[in-house]
Structure formats: C-alpha cells, structure tokens
Amino acid sequence: MPNDQTKGIVQEVKTQGVILLGFVGLMWGLEIIDQFLLDNSLNSLGIRPRSLSGLWGILFAPFLHGNFVHLIGNTVPFLVLGWLVMLREISDFFVVTITTLLIGGLGVWLFAAPGTVHIGASGLVFGYLGYLLLRGYFERSAVAVFFSVLVGVLYGSLIWGIFPAQLGISWQGHLFGFGGGALAARLLARRP
C-alpha cells in the first residue's frame, strides 16, 4: 500500500507529464493542421522583427515549426530540459517559460533582420538550457550544481547554436532565449 509521500510523488510526476505533453501536443497538433490543411500559412504568425503585428509572434512562435523535421528536433530537448526545469517546482517551469518567451521574443523582434519570420520552440529549449546551466552558479547548492553539470554534459554542445552559423536558423532566438533562461535562473535562485 503506497504511503502519502509516494502518492504525492506519483501525482507530481503525472502533473508534470500532463503539462509537458500538453505543450508538445499543441505543437504537434498545430503542425499537423498547418502542413495538411493550411499549406504552412500559420508560420506567418511567427516573430517578424520590428513589425507591430509581428509582436504577436512572441506568443505564437514557440508553437509553430517549419516542418516535421524542425518539430522533431525541438521535441526531445523540450521534453527533457523542460522536465528538468520543473523537477524542483512546477511553478519554476512557468516562470522560466514566460521569462524566456518575453526576453527571447523581444530580443528577436528588436535585433533580428527585418523581413524575416522566426518560429520554433528552440528559443524555449535554449531558455531551459540557460536556466539549468546557470542555476548552479546562482544558487551554489550541491543539487543545483549537480544539475548544471549534468545538463552541461548532456546538452552543452547546444551552446554553439547561439552563434550565427547556418542560414535559416534563428541564432537570435537561441541567444536571447538563453539570456531569458539565465535571467530566470537569477530571479529564481535560492541561496542556502
């Protein structure tokens, strides 16, 4: 017979799964609709730099993808890093997500090339990466440092994505998303 603590942990994991799979389900649902019914017209709702209507893309861009390869490439790191963000507190996931959306999205809107459209969840992925890597630095607790090192080993090579390297990849989204995650790490730091 499971005790109350075990039931609480099971319920917490279920809640985490519902949240993460809800986000991913929305991304996949929109991509299926966009690919098969709308001829990729939803992608125009991404971030369009220095365009007033392009500001709405800050909210929509993480849920829109250019194709299924793009979406698959974001799904696994979104699930893994998103889950690591919410391990301490589910509310941390929402704070990091909102901070990354706003900082990352505004950074892209202000500094990316005009006439471009930026879409994809990679800005969020880089926000989670920034948060997890820098949480150990800001908190200086053994657990936070352990997770920073773990994420560095598993996903540290992603850091190269913040530099302009490949045409068609929003390095600005990666860079400013990472910055949003770093800010969230500072805001949520719990010093011992």
Side-chain angles (χ1 to χ4, degrees):
M1 182 100 173
N3 62 24
D4 287 341
Q5 186 177 8
T6 304
K7 288 180 186 175
I9 291 170
V10 169
Q11 183 56 45
E12 182 89 1
V13 170
K14 283 181 182 177
T15 302
Q16 293 167 349
V18 166
I19 292 166
L20 286 170
L21 293 176
F23 270 80
V24 169
L26 180 59
M27 291 176 202
W28 277 87
L30 285 172
E31 190 58 29
I32 289 167
I33 291 168
D34 198 31
Q35 289 285 320
F36 296 114
L37 300 176
L38 300 176
D39 197 32
N40 284 321
S41 63
L42 286 180
N43 293 345
S44 66
L45 299 175
I47 301 169
R48 285 179 279 122
R50 292 179 295 291
S51 156
L52 266 179
S53 60
L55 280 170
W56 285 106
I58 293 171
L59 300 176
F60 301 135
F63 302 101
L64 305 172
H65 291 81
N67 53 44
F68 288 111
V69 172
H70 184 203
L71 179 56
I72 290 166
N74 283 329
T75 298
V76 173
F78 177 88
L79 288 169
V80 173
L81 296 174
W83 181 66
L84 290 174
V85 167
M86 68 170 55
L87 267 182
R88 182 174 60 185
E89 297 277 339
I90 290 176
S91 61
D92 288 357
F93 174 79
F94 290 106
V95 171
V96 175
T97 299
I98 291 168
T99 305
T100 298
L101 277 174
L102 293 176
I103 300 297
L106 283 172
V108 168
W109 190 81
L110 287 169
F111 296 106
T116 58
V117 179
H118 298 255
I119 56 173
S122 58
L124 284 178
V125 168
F126 275 81
Y128 300 154
L129 178 68
Y131 171 78
L132 291 163
L133 288 176
L134 292 169
R135 192 176 111 193
Y137 172 78
F138 288 120
E139 286 191 13
R140 310 218 176 169
S141 70
V143 172
V145 169
F146 169 77
F147 275 103
S148 292
V149 170
L150 176 68
V151 168
V153 168
L154 294 175
Y155 285 99
S157 64
L158 284 180
I159 200 74
W160 296 108
I162 65 172
F163 299 107
Q166 189 176 352
L167 196 61
I169 303 290
S170 179
W171 64 270
Q172 300 95 337
H174 299 172
L175 174 65
F176 290 108
F178 188 90
L183 176 62
R186 178 67 186 101
L187 294 172
L188 294 172
R190 297 178 186 162
R191 287 289 179 107

